[in-house]
């Protein structure tokens, strides 16, 4: 039943290849298949399996994982795909079926959830028995796939999942289609395969197929075939070019003149949202935003398993521009495409996260907020930056200015470099001409935001604006005049279109509850704050009534107070004993000046089952 690869490594063929990595009489398994491997371990002298390391979530890799859990084996899974193991029930309930254009193979997932002992974090090195294993991000077969690198007996051995099955072949092309009629996984596979080539692997151990003892030739043939497929599909035409030179000067040097452009300011040309690099003479770098590095296409859906940050282009940055340390990352706002990679930078590179005081708490406590585009994990902020005050990094001075519009929780970063006044503005405007408004009501856009932006730009008069998704913009007096005129028109239209009284604002709501999401055990009390805005010009009586599921205890249930402007109310809610439910809904029902506004805001509470024994 077993094929010996080395004295400490065996292959067991099941619904996928299961690899048994031995340390004496104990072993770690790479992937699990149906679990039949557990019935045959005595054949190779193994008494106990400590861990199962999963390369990806597909059912053929782990359909028997319930057996592992029952046997007390630790199940470790790719960080990006963790929800498709421990919360797959929620995935199945939420997954669209009708009118479905999401063709990702996330329905080739486990039928039932399994307990996850820990996630396998990208670039992590972890000891299992006698063996140190490095986790490598290798998207392609799925967005969240990983490979596991091991050095044994002087050889570099890679458990490659379904990235490659044989020289020039993959186990599934269908799995690489992450969107309807797309080929995003093909491009991602090429990027991952190039990374493996650079790592000088001696032996590839795929999830399907035989061990590959000539990895370089096998990988090269697969890249060649994949690339022809992409070219004939006319997709990702600049893939090789962007991999070779992902970073370039924001302004290139002018040929035949002394104009050197911006040698100390770079732009990432292969990221989802623009990311900029400020270089110091010391060899340190400061990143402005860092979301999805080297994007090959966005997978359908917005679940965690569809979004994959990684650090793919950092070796090129370091080698081509002499960067010794990624010192700081400074986001312009909290949206995932601008911050998704911050945790990786912080853990792998030792990078500090500096964030403006007007959205640092959103990064650290995303579950508290009812906002679009939140990243799934908290991001530790190492330094909270004040607004409108100069701060120093290396030889540079920067000032962060509040920049509401696209979102209330954003800043414009002002600094000078290479003789130019720069303003990094995130996603405030759309288009290369910087003229199209990019407001989103649920981002808490307010009337007057773009007028304030126009005034800020006029006051600062930058030479160059760096935006989140478009080309750098040279600023002219005509541009500043145009955005001011347009801002006045935007405000006028909103005032003409919306009622004057009650003034519900551009958002259309006058209350919100924090935290928006909470996870508790039955019987545990949750404190809530309710922000209420009086929509009338004079002080008025406000009645706040909490609406909770039957059986919940709420204190106080009703509060009455005369307020003007914004006021914060508080209440506590306690779910009944014995309850287990996902996303139970609470709301606040508002009456202001005897006018019923109804259930204006909600919060979601997941009551976790009590663990006994």
């Amino acid at each position: 039943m077993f094929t010996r690869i080395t004295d400490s490594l065996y292959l067991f063929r099941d619904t996928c290849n299961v690899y048994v990595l031995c340390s004496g009489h104990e072993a770690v398994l790479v992937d699990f298949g149906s679990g039949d491997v557990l019935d045959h371990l005595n054949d190779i002298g193994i008494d106990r399996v400590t861990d199962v390391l999963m390369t990806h979530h597909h059912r053929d890799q782990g359909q028997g994982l319930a057996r592992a859990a029952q046997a007390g084996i630790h199940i470790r899974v790719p960080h990006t795909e963790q929800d498709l193991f421990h919360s797959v029930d929620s995935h199945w309930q939420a997954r669209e079926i009708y009118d479905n254009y999401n063709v990702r193979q996330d329905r080739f997932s486990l039928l039932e959830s399994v307990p996850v002992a820990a996630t396998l974090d990208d670039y992590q090195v972890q000891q299992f028995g006698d063996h140190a294993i490095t986790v490598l991000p290798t998207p392609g077969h799925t967005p969240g796939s990983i490979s596991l690198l091991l050095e044994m007996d002087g050889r570099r051995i890679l458990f490659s999942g379904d990235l490659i099955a044989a020289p020039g072949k993959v186990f599934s092309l269908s799995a690489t289609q992450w969107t309807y009629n797309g080929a995003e996984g093909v491009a991602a596979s090429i990027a991952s395969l190039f990374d493996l080539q650079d790592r000088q692997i001696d032996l590839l151990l795929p999830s399907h197929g035989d061990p590959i003892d000539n990895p370089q030739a096998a990988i090269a043939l697969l890249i060649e075939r994949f690339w022809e497929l992409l070219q004939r599909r006319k997709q990702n035409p600049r893939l090789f070019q962007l991999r070779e030179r992902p970073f370039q000067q924001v302004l290139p040097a002018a040929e035949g003149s002394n104009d050197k452009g911006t040698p100390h300011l770079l732009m990432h040309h292969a990221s989802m949202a623009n990311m900029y690099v400020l270089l110091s003479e010391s060899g340190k770098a400061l990143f402005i935003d860092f979301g999805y590095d080297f994007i090959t296409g966005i997978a359908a859906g917005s679940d965690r398993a569809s979004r994959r940050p990684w650090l793919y282009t950092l070796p090129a940055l370091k080698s081509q521009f002499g960067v010794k340390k990624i010192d700081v990352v400074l986001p312009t706002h909290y949206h995932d495409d601008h911050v998704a990679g911050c945790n990786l930078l912080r853990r792998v590179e030792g990078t500090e996260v500096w964030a403006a005081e007007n959205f640092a708490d959103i990064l650290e406590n995303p579950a508290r907020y009812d906002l679009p585009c939140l990243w799934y994990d908290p991001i530790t902020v190492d330094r909270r930056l004040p607004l409108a005050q100069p701060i120093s990094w290396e030889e540079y001075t920067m000032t962060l200015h509040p920049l509401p519009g696209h979102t209330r929780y954003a800043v414009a970063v002002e600094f000078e470099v290479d003789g130019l006044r720069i303003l990094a503005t995130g996603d405030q405007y759309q288009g290369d001409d910087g003229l199209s408004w990019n407001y989103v009501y649920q981002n808490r856009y307010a009337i007057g935001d773009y007028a304030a932006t126009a005034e800020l730009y006029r006051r600062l008069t930058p030479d160059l604006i760096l935006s989140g998704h478009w080309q750098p913009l040279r600023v002219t007096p005509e541009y500043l005049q145009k955005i001011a005129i347009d801002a006045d028109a935007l405000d006028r239209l909103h005032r003409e279109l919306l009622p004057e009284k009650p003034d519900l604002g551009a958002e259309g709501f006058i209350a919100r509850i924090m935290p928006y999401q909470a996870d508790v055990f039955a019987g545990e009390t949750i404190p809530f704050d309710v922000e209420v805005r009086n929509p009338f010009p004079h002080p008025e009586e406000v009645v706040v009534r909490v609406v909770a599921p039957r059986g919940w205890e709420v204190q106080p249930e009703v509060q009455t107070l005369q307020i003007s402007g914004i006021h914060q109310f508080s209440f506590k809610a306690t779910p009944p004993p014995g309850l287990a439910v996902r996303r139970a809904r609470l709301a606040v029902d508002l009456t202001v000046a005897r006018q019923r506004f109804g259930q204006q805001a909600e919060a979601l509470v997941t009551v976790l089952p009590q663990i006994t024994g």
Side-chain angles (χ1 to χ4, degrees):
M1 299 293 291
F2 289 96
T3 300
R4 177 184 169 278
I5 299 173
T6 74
D7 289 341
S8 301
L9 181 58
Y10 294 83
L11 162 61
F12 181 87
R13 296 189 186 274
D14 194 5
T15 56
C16 70
N17 292 341
V18 178
Y19 294 98
V20 185
L21 187 58
C22 307
S23 298
H25 294 288
E26 292 187 341
V28 169
L29 305 181
V30 177
D31 292 319
F32 196 67
S34 71
D36 285 355
V37 65
L38 298 183
D39 300 326
H40 302 277
L41 291 172
N42 287 338
D43 297 347
I44 55 173
I46 296 299
D47 299 329
R48 175 174 175 258
V49 173
T50 61
D51 300 88
V52 175
L53 314 181
M54 299 297 298
T55 60
H56 60 288
H57 75 273
H58 281 166
R59 204 152 55 233
D60 55 347
Q61 305 296 122
Q63 66 186 53
L65 280 171
R67 285 195 64 185
Q70 291 166 2
I73 300 170
H74 295 143
I75 300 170
R76 301 176 187 268
V77 305
H79 184 83
T80 299
E81 295 189 347
Q82 60 180 284
D83 293 347
L84 297 179
F85 290 91
H86 62 56
S87 300
V88 76
D89 296 329
S90 299
H91 166 73
W92 280 112
Q93 294 300 322
R95 185 58 161 88
E96 62 268 32
I97 304 296
Y98 294 107
D99 197 23
N100 172 39
Y101 287 82
N102 180 352
V103 296
R104 268 175 56 221
Q105 286 190 357
D106 58 341
R107 285 187 290 164
F108 192 29
S109 297
L110 302 182
L111 303 182
E112 303 291 341
S113 297
V114 295
V116 170
T119 62
L120 297 168
D121 297 338
D122 292 342
Y123 309 102
Q124 174 188 39
V125 180
Q126 190 163 347
Q127 192 77 25
F128 293 96
D130 299 333
H131 311 288
I133 293 178
T134 302
V135 180
L136 300 180
T138 49
H141 184 68
T142 69
S145 288
I146 60 172
S147 294
L148 301 169
L149 179 62
L150 167 72
E151 294 200 19
M152 178 186 289
D153 301 328
R155 290 198 298 172
R156 294 170 66 81
I157 299 172
L158 190 86
F159 304 97
S160 55
D162 279 329
L163 180 66
I164 183 172
K169 291 187 179 294
V170 287
F171 183 64
S172 170
L173 274 175
S174 174
T176 64
Q177 196 159 60
W178 297 353
T179 64
Y180 199 78
N181 193 35
E184 300 81 8
V186 172
S189 294
I190 292 175
S192 296
L193 290 164
F194 270 128
D195 184 49
L196 297 188
Q197 277 192 328
D198 292 342
R199 294 178 186 274
Q200 299 298 311
I201 307 301
D202 297 303
L203 179 64
L204 279 174
L205 300 178
S207 286
H208 295 86
D210 297 325
I212 302 171
D213 57 10
N214 188 1
Q216 293 293 341
I219 289 172
L221 181 58
L222 183 53
I223 290 174
E224 177 185 337
R225 290 172 175 173
F226 268 153
W227 181 233
E228 181 181 356
L229 178 62
L230 281 185
Q231 286 179 303
R232 292 185 180 276
R233 288 182 58 103
K234 296 179 170 55
Q235 293 186 343
N236 291 87
R238 298 194 302 151
L239 181 66
F240 284 30
Q241 174 187 344
L242 291 174
R243 182 183 183 274
E244 183 68 25
R245 297 285 299 184
F247 296 91
Q248 297 180 21
Q249 291 185 190
V250 167
L251 297 180
E255 293 186 12
S257 77
N258 294 325
D259 183 359
K260 296 181 180 180
T262 57
H264 296 91
L265 182 62
L266 312 177
M267 178 176 175
H268 194 330
H269 286 263
S271 54
M272 179 179 172
N274 292 339
M275 185 263 283
Y276 301 94
V277 184
L278 185 61
L279 301 175
S280 79
E281 294 294 344
S282 67
K284 294 180 180 179
L286 179 146
F287 286 0
I288 298 176
D289 292 328
F290 190 76
Y292 302 109
D293 183 24
F294 202 76
I295 197 75
T296 62
I298 297 298
S302 59
D303 55 302
R304 181 197 291 268
S306 70
R307 296 292 181 265
R308 182 63 174 276
W310 56 344
L311 306 178
Y312 190 82
T313 64
L314 295 197
L317 174 67
K318 293 176 180 179
S319 64
Q320 293 171 10
F321 293 93
V323 172
K324 300 174 183 177
K325 179 177 176 55
I326 314 299
D327 193 42
V328 171
V329 57
L330 196 166
T332 57
H333 58 294
Y334 72 89
H335 286 172
D336 66 293
D337 54 332
H338 295 258
V339 303
C342 289
N343 280 336
L344 276 178
L345 280 177
R346 192 172 184 276
R347 178 171 56 80
V348 178
E349 295 289 328
T351 305
E352 288 193 357
V353 178
W354 293 5
E357 61 186 6
N358 62 337
F359 62 84
D361 190 65
I362 301 174
L363 298 181
E364 294 197 311
N365 300 287
R368 285 185 54 82
Y369 294 85
D370 176 16
L371 290 167
C373 312
L374 294 168
W375 183 238
Y376 308 97
D377 298 316
I379 297 171
T380 298
V381 174
D382 297 287
R383 182 178 175 187
R384 295 194 176 208
L385 302 178
L387 300 179
Q389 296 181 28
I391 59 170
S392 295
W393 174 78
E394 297 294 297
E395 63 265 38
Y396 299 100
T397 298
M398 296 175 285
T399 304
L400 276 57
H401 301 275
L403 192 68
H406 176 62
T407 171
R408 177 177 298 185
Y409 308 105
V411 292
V413 184
E414 176 196 9
F415 59 97
E416 291 192 21
V417 61
D418 297 324
L420 295 171
R421 298 187 306 276
I422 306 294
L423 195 64
T425 60
D427 292 348
Q428 190 72 346
Y429 288 93
Q430 300 182 76
D432 289 340
D433 62 2
L435 292 175
S436 297
W437 305 311
N438 197 22
Y439 61 86
V440 177
Y441 293 112
Q442 290 190 33
N443 280 336
R444 306 208 65 185
Y445 161 73
I447 298 170
D449 283 349
Y450 278 88
T453 296
E455 173 57 25
L456 176 69
Y457 288 12
R458 184 202 62 77
R459 179 166 57 84
L460 298 180
T461 59
D463 298 309
L464 199 64
I465 286 177
L466 307 181
S467 72
H469 294 271
W470 300 276
Q471 292 301 306
L473 176 69
R474 289 276 193 179
V475 177
T476 64
E478 293 76 18
Y479 171 77
L480 296 175
Q481 182 180 28
K482 173 65 172 168
I483 63 171
I485 293 171
D486 288 350
D488 289 342
L490 179 64
D491 291 347
R492 173 181 56 78
L493 286 167
H494 274 80
R495 292 190 177 99
E496 290 174 351
L497 287 164
L498 293 171
E500 293 182 16
K501 288 197 297 186
D503 176 11
L504 302 182
E507 292 180 79
F509 294 94
I510 58 172
R512 60 182 56 237
I513 304 175
M514 294 179 66
Y516 185 69
Q517 299 180 77
D519 291 356
V520 298
F521 291 104
E524 184 178 346
T525 298
I526 321 140
F528 290 96
D529 294 321
V530 184
E531 180 186 280
V532 177
R533 181 175 62 83
N534 177 2
F536 297 102
H538 305 292
E540 299 289 355
E541 182 181 83
V542 173
V543 180
V544 178
R545 183 183 302 274
V546 180
V547 180
R550 183 175 300 175
W552 289 53
E553 180 181 342
V554 176
Q555 291 292 335
E557 186 176 348
V558 180
Q559 299 178 66
T560 302
L561 186 69
Q562 187 174 77
I563 71 168
S564 58
I566 296 174
H567 186 82
Q568 184 170 291
F569 296 82
S570 298
F571 71 91
K572 296 179 180 180
T574 308
L579 180 67
V581 62
R582 181 173 184 265
R583 291 187 177 179
R585 281 77 64 194
L586 292 83
V588 288
D589 193 308
L590 296 183
T591 301
V592 183
R594 298 186 179 181
Q595 180 172 335
R596 288 290 302 272
F597 288 90
Q599 297 174 6
Q600 279 276 301
E602 81 284 346
L604 308 176
V605 179
T606 294
V607 184
L608 305 170
Q610 294 282 2
I611 300 175
T612 58

